Amino acid sequence: MSNKKNKKENTNVYDINNGITITDSISLTINSKYWINAKLLLIITALAGSIGFTFSFLSLFEFDCDTRLIYGVLAAVFLLCSIIFVLPSKVRFILIPLYALLAYRCYQLRTWLYDGYKEFINTIAAKLKFIGEGQEYYPIKEDINSSDAVTYFLIVMLIIIISVICYNTIVKPRFILVFSVTFPFIETGLYFGFAPDHTPFFLLIAYWVALFSMRIAGNQFHSTSGQPVFVRKRNIFVLLLI
């Protein structure tokens, strides 16, 4: 006696009176290159947003900081996030201990970060003419290296923003969330008549437009399994390829 079990077919066949036969079974063949190209475009879009925001914001207020160190750290963070976010969702849990380590490091450097925050506010206040030349909105101790302090603060702040940009572009495009995080920093200068460098600012605008276009074009639907599936939106079936 054979132990082999017959598989039950899930295909339903409907025979209509006019001789037309309808089968509700859908077969699908996907070129693997499409998945790679789609993810690559999302990474390039996130890169445009990260570069556009970072350079626009730093050029807007001209902080006394180590820009080379900031760019180097952010490049490593973007590379790490972009790699992890294109992998299956289970792999993304690797970021939890990494961000926990970052939080612990911030706790160790809390004094430096607090002084960096004060210098951060002092620079913005001076640029916006809230305080006079040579004055400080928040006084900083003389033995503190304000340049190093504001560098550490900007690194932590930009790591968080770059992570938000990467996740909400590569994994699940969310225009409103990303725009709410990035626009206020730029608007702070624009409102008072200061403009960032044109090239990165146009790149940031292009990123906003691209993300908004993806949102309204239906790219907000995603497959958690990473495999092509159909999602029903009322009477419309959307094919997920990413």
Side-chain angles (χ1 to χ4, degrees):
M1 182 176 179
S2 176
N3 293 327
K4 185 178 180 179
K5 296 182 180 179
N6 296 327
K7 294 182 180 180
K8 183 179 179 181
E9 294 184 359
N10 294 325
T11 302
N12 295 324
V13 179
Y14 303 94
D15 192 1
I16 305 179
N17 295 331
N18 57 8
I20 299 176
T21 301
I22 300 177
T23 304
D24 67 352
S25 176
I26 301 175
S27 61
L28 179 64
T29 302
I30 297 298
N31 189 344
S32 60
K33 293 182 179 179
Y34 185 91
W35 182 88
I36 297 175
N37 293 339
K39 289 298 184 182
L40 181 60
L41 288 175
L42 291 176
I43 292 174
I44 293 175
T45 303
L47 179 62
S50 301
I51 293 177
F53 173 78
T54 302
F55 280 80
S56 296
F57 181 67
L58 294 182
S59 66
L60 186 62
F61 294 106
E62 300 176 351
F63 296 98
D64 180 19
C65 59
D66 188 348
T67 53
R68 291 186 179 181
L69 178 60
I70 293 176
Y71 296 152
V73 172
L74 294 184
V77 171
F78 177 84
L79 182 62
L80 178 64
C81 289
S82 60
I83 292 175
I84 292 179
F85 287 151
V86 298
L87 297 176
S89 57
K90 294 181 180 179
V91 182
R92 297 171 197 155
F93 287 103
I94 298 177
L95 289 175
I96 295 179
L98 294 179
Y99 284 118
L101 180 62
L102 175 63
Y104 176 72
R105 187 58 178 165
C106 290
Y107 174 77
Q108 291 180 320
L109 299 175
R110 58 188 182 277
T111 302
W112 280 92
L113 292 177
Y114 180 61
D115 290 327
Y117 168 77
K118 292 191 291 186
E119 181 62 21
F120 174 81
I121 297 298
N122 289 339
T123 303
I124 296 178
K127 181 76 173 183
L128 303 181
K129 307 299 182 182
F130 287 167
I131 56 178
E133 185 177 356
Q135 296 180 342
E136 292 181 340
Y137 191 85
Y138 288 115
I140 300 178
K141 297 179 180 179
E142 295 181 357
D143 58 340
I144 296 296
N145 189 324
S146 59
S147 179
D148 290 344
V150 74
T151 298
Y152 296 151
F153 176 80
L154 287 173
I155 286 176
V156 174
M157 185 189 76
L158 292 174
I159 284 177
I160 297 173
I161 295 177
I162 297 302
S163 300
V164 172
I165 290 176
C166 289
Y167 182 83
N168 292 281
T169 303
I170 300 173
V171 181
K172 292 183 178 180
R174 293 188 179 99
F175 169 75
I176 295 179
L177 177 59
V178 172
F179 187 77
S180 301
V181 171
T182 56
F183 179 70
F185 290 93
I186 308 299
E187 172 61 15
T188 303
L190 295 177
Y191 181 81
F192 290 92
F194 300 102
D197 288 346
H198 292 167
T199 301
F201 186 51
F202 286 147
L203 190 62
L204 179 60
I205 294 176
Y207 166 73
W208 287 335
V209 173
L211 195 62
F212 180 74
S213 300
M214 285 192 295
R215 182 64 183 179
I216 63 176
N219 198 33
Q220 65 269 33
F221 303 107
H222 286 261
S223 170
T224 56
S225 63
Q227 300 297 325
V229 296
F230 281 94
V231 171
R232 181 172 182 175
K233 188 69 174 179
R234 295 184 179 177
N235 290 327
I236 301 175
F237 289 85
V238 181
L239 176 61
L240 307 183
L241 300 178
I242 56 176

